[in-house]
Amino acid sequence: MFSAIARIFRTPDLRRKIGFTLGIIALYRLGSFIPTPFVDFGNVQKCLAQNQGTTGLYELVNLFSGGALLQLSIFALGIMPYITASIITQLLRVVIPHFDTLHKEGQAGQSKLTQYTRYLTIFLGVLQSTTLITVARSGALFGTNSGAECSSLITDDTWYAVLLMVLTMTAGTGLIMWMGELITERGIGNGMSLLIFTSIAATFPSSLWAIAESHGFETFLLVLAIGCVVVIAVVFVEQSQRRVPVQYAKRMVGRRTYGGNSTYIPIKVNMAGVIPIIFASSLLYLPALIAQFNQPAAGEQPAAWVTWITTYLTNGDHPLYMAIYFLLIIGFTYFYVAITFNPEEVADNMKKYGGFIPGIRAGRPTAEYLDYVLTRVTLPGSLYLGLIALIPLVALATVGANQNFPFGGASILIIVGVGLETVKQIDSQLQQRHYEGLLR
């Protein structure tokens, strides 16, 4: 292992790529601590210290921004607008035929879709930065029960100051997007994924230290042990796949023979990745967001529906919240897999190139068989996602951790997934140059 790592740094091209990637990551983390103009940095730090154990509406976005959101920094929105824009662009393929046509056009169509994603990212950056500044001005960014400091985070709320803040945060989103594309082009690994990886990994030490301070060193060691078991289980499931065998018939083109080889279609147990957890979390935040903007005036009683939402759908440690969250993840897993994997399209492509599944006729029977396999493989995948997503909520109820508990939910899935993919890319680069990779 150590000799393989030494080979990485002895290879000039690979060393240059890794150094470039680490440099961009360092700049990204630096920008997470530079405050936006007209933000009272002292009050923000006081509010963060007072509300370390609380859960808010922006917890998921704050996790993906590496804590920059609640600090109101120039990178406050993080990579979340780009993630949302990518998901929307992918879902529009089902609704708008033009997007599906572009997806099938190859490199030219993908470039056009990437351009649409960039424009949508900037639009979402403007929308989300405006919403964030509005919530910060109202004093509700850290919850309604925060101190007086949390109501005066903005030093100047004139229209030109707010406009400058919106432009700064939106420009920060565009800069992050550019950094991610630079890493993909000139560095190692997928740039956007690595920036998310960095943001989540940056919150690990503070989350674990908070558990050690509040519950003692024994609980800290227990959490680490459980975390190691969870990581091993996630790696095992993420690498698991159902391989559907495919045989290609021999065909003559001129004097050459093509086909005749055997391959397989890999159907992963977790084909949806982390997307269902993001969907379910976003949907569960909507009732709490609506209830927050319908709080009564001082001295008045809140409406019954506001009280119900505040009681059952705001705190992650409530059993009803956990049950709804779990069921939403299962439903969104099936929904997203149905959108991203089209059995009929795969069957048509196989038929076009002379491929068939042994024992299954080409065409519609192949599509039905793939749909049969996909439906049954997705069931354990959806249950696995639901259980992993419940780990931070169980930790919240047992050891008092916040929903950014590092060993569970979206954080552990992204950390493991991006880590595995990056290691595989480094391994392939080493094999190209030394005939011996990083992995054994």
Side-chain angles (χ1 to χ4, degrees):
M1 184 66 183
F2 291 106
S3 62
I5 294 174
R7 282 199 305 274
I8 293 175
F9 291 99
R10 284 200 302 265
T11 307
D13 185 37
L14 195 55
R15 184 175 64 240
R16 194 182 311 114
K17 286 183 176 182
I18 293 178
F20 180 82
T21 303
L22 293 177
I24 295 291
I25 287 174
L27 289 175
Y28 172 65
R29 288 305 300 158
L30 177 64
S32 302
F33 296 98
I34 301 175
T36 305
F38 305 108
V39 169
D40 193 326
F41 186 74
N43 282 351
V44 169
Q45 295 305 311
K46 290 179 183 177
C47 293
L48 285 172
Q50 293 172 6
N51 296 274
Q52 283 182 353
T54 61
T55 58
L57 295 174
Y58 296 95
E59 193 120 27
L60 184 68
V61 187
N62 190 53
L63 173 66
F64 282 178
S65 66
L69 178 90
L70 294 183
Q71 296 192 48
L72 296 174
S73 70
I74 59 174
F75 288 169
L77 302 180
I79 205 72
M80 201 62 180
Y82 184 85
I83 297 174
T84 310
S86 300
I87 294 172
I88 291 174
T89 306
Q90 197 168 18
L91 294 179
L92 285 178
R93 285 172 44 201
V94 184
V95 182
I96 302 175
H98 177 64
F99 279 78
D100 192 45
T101 305
L102 288 175
H103 177 72
K104 295 176 180 177
E105 282 183 0
Q107 187 63 35
Q110 292 291 343
S111 300
K112 200 71 175 174
L113 285 176
T114 303
Q115 200 68 17
Y116 288 152
T117 305
R118 290 169 182 164
Y119 293 145
L120 187 56
T121 300
I122 297 301
F123 171 76
L124 290 175
V126 173
L127 187 64
Q128 292 182 16
S129 59
T130 305
T131 305
L132 175 61
I133 293 167
T134 303
V135 174
R137 288 173 65 192
S138 66
L141 183 62
F142 292 92
T144 54
N145 299 323
S146 303
E149 299 90 352
C150 302
S151 300
S152 56
L153 300 176
I154 310 297
T155 58
D156 188 351
D157 58 356
T158 55
W159 68 268
Y160 56 85
V162 172
L163 179 62
L164 180 60
M165 293 175 69
V166 170
L167 290 175
T168 302
M169 289 186 179
T170 306
T173 299
L175 185 58
I176 291 172
M177 183 170 58
W178 179 65
M179 286 178 171
E181 292 179 355
L182 276 181
I183 291 177
T184 305
E185 182 182 348
R186 300 176 56 187
I188 196 81
N190 183 284
M192 302 299 176
S193 300
L194 278 175
L195 292 182
I196 301 173
F197 177 95
T198 304
S199 299
I200 296 174
T203 63
F204 268 46
S206 59
S207 300
L208 292 174
W209 183 248
I211 294 173
E213 281 189 329
S214 57
H215 293 85
F217 195 67
E218 293 80 6
T219 305
F220 171 75
L221 292 178
L222 178 63
V223 167
L224 280 182
I226 294 174
C228 291
V229 174
V230 170
V231 169
I232 293 171
V234 169
V235 171
F236 177 76
V237 177
E238 290 296 318
Q239 297 290 89
S240 302
Q241 55 184 223
R242 166 75 160 85
R243 295 181 175 182
V244 179
V246 177
Q247 182 76 33
Y248 283 93
K250 289 183 179 180
R251 54 195 177 97
M252 294 292 295
V253 179
R255 294 185 177 181
R256 294 190 176 183
T257 304
Y258 293 91
N261 58 330
S262 300
T263 182
Y264 61 87
I265 301 174
I267 299 179
K268 294 182 64 177
V269 174
N270 179 25
M271 286 195 66
V274 74
I275 301 299
I277 296 179
I278 297 175
F279 278 0
S281 302
S282 303
L283 194 62
L284 271 179
Y285 283 153
L286 286 178
L289 182 63
I290 295 171
Q292 183 176 352
F293 285 104
N294 285 273
Q295 293 295 328
E300 296 182 6
Q301 291 294 327
W305 65 272
V306 174
T307 305
W308 190 88
I309 288 175
T310 305
T311 305
Y312 297 107
L313 297 182
T314 302
N315 297 322
D317 54 354
H318 198 280
L320 181 61
Y321 183 99
M322 294 184 186
I324 295 175
Y325 190 40
F326 185 78
L327 294 175
L328 281 175
I329 289 173
I330 293 177
F332 278 126
T333 302
Y334 274 95
F335 169 74
Y336 190 74
V337 169
I339 288 175
T340 54
F341 188 91
N342 189 348
E344 293 183 0
E345 183 180 347
V346 175
D348 289 342
N349 289 334
M350 287 170 55
K351 186 177 180 180
K352 186 186 303 182
Y353 294 103
F356 62 93
I357 299 173
I360 308 294
R361 284 189 302 166
R364 186 171 183 81
T366 299
E368 291 175 352
Y369 177 75
L370 288 175
D371 184 63
Y372 172 85
V373 173
L374 186 66
T375 303
R376 279 147 185 79
V377 170
T378 304
L379 177 61
S382 63
L383 295 176
Y384 150 78
L385 278 179
L387 291 174
I388 290 295
L390 286 181
I391 290 177
L393 304 184
V394 174
L396 176 68
T398 54
V399 299
N402 60 20
Q403 292 191 42
N404 289 345
F405 182 71
F407 298 113
S411 59
I412 195 67
L413 291 174
I414 292 173
I415 286 287
V416 171
V418 176
L420 286 173
E421 189 62 32
T422 306
V423 168
K424 285 179 182 177
Q425 287 204 22
I426 295 175
D427 182 63
S428 65
Q429 296 270 349
L430 280 176
Q431 287 183 350
Q432 288 176 10
R433 294 166 173 82
H434 298 281
Y435 303 103
E436 188 177 357
L438 182 65
L439 304 174
R440 298 278 180 171

